[in-house]
Amino acid sequence: MYQSILVPVDGSTHAEKALKVAAQLASRPGKLYLINVQQPPDDIGLLVGGSGMPVSDEVIQKLVEEREEEARRVLDKARAAAALEGLEVEEVIAKGRPAEAIVAEAQALKVEAIVMGSRGMSDLKGMVIGSVSHRVGHTAHCTVITVN
């Protein structure tokens, strides 16, 4: 049983399953941290249909707000999908590359374990450049449990 577990959630069924496993592995009382990582686009101008030229602060602010709303929806959906009674649950919205943000947050929170799905919402990209769970498993300084 673990006193503190970080669970990355992205809206995928694998993440929901990982959260259910984490809830079973957590001590009562214990603490679960749900993290959603919002990765900024590589070229924000192309994202909004432009030429890659700099975009206005208003457009950037709107994109930031939309991503935070999406993160909130994902976190709310995850909370509703698992039995979390007897656990303290804290939500974290991080920005950056998912694997690096997850490992950094795990270190900052000093969690005992990370429980995560083996595949997320970006399955195809993960197969091409390496999955987030694979990277986290090789770089985290705590126990990493990957759920299929």
Side-chain angles (χ1 to χ4, degrees):
M1 298 297 232
Y2 296 97
Q3 292 293 317
S4 60
I5 301 174
L6 179 67
V7 185
V9 294
D10 64 358
S12 69
T13 56
H14 287 276
E16 285 183 16
K17 189 174 178 183
L19 178 56
K20 290 174 184 175
V21 169
Q24 293 172 346
L25 293 173
S27 297
R28 302 287 198 277
K31 189 160 189 178
L32 289 183
Y33 296 93
L34 307 182
I35 183 172
N36 178 266
V37 181
Q38 293 292 314
Q39 185 171 359
D42 293 332
D43 189 331
I44 199 164
L46 293 176
L47 178 72
V48 294
S51 64
M53 300 296 287
V55 295
S56 70
D57 289 341
E58 293 82 22
V59 171
I60 292 170
Q61 183 59 34
K62 182 178 181 202
L63 288 171
V64 167
E65 289 171 4
E66 287 172 359
R67 290 198 174 225
E68 287 193 14
E69 288 173 15
E70 174 62 20
R72 184 69 35 221
R73 281 192 294 274
V74 168
L75 290 165
D76 289 345
K77 179 183 174 194
R79 247 186 208 264
L84 304 174
E85 298 83 20
L87 294 169
E88 184 180 346
V89 179
E90 186 174 314
E91 297 174 349
V92 178
I93 299 174
K95 294 173 183 67
R97 294 182 179 196
E100 289 85 357
I102 291 164
V103 170
E105 197 65 34
Q107 285 181 304
L109 296 170
K110 296 179 174 59
V111 296
E112 293 176 85
I114 299 170
V115 178
M116 63 188 304
S118 60
R119 293 265 185 242
M121 294 299 281
S122 58
D123 283 345
L124 181 60
K125 184 178 177 185
M127 286 188 273
V128 174
I129 62 171
S131 73
V132 172
S133 59
H134 179 80
R135 288 180 183 197
V136 169
H138 286 284
T139 58
H141 299 285
C142 63
T143 300
V144 178
I145 300 168
T146 306
V147 178
N148 288 324

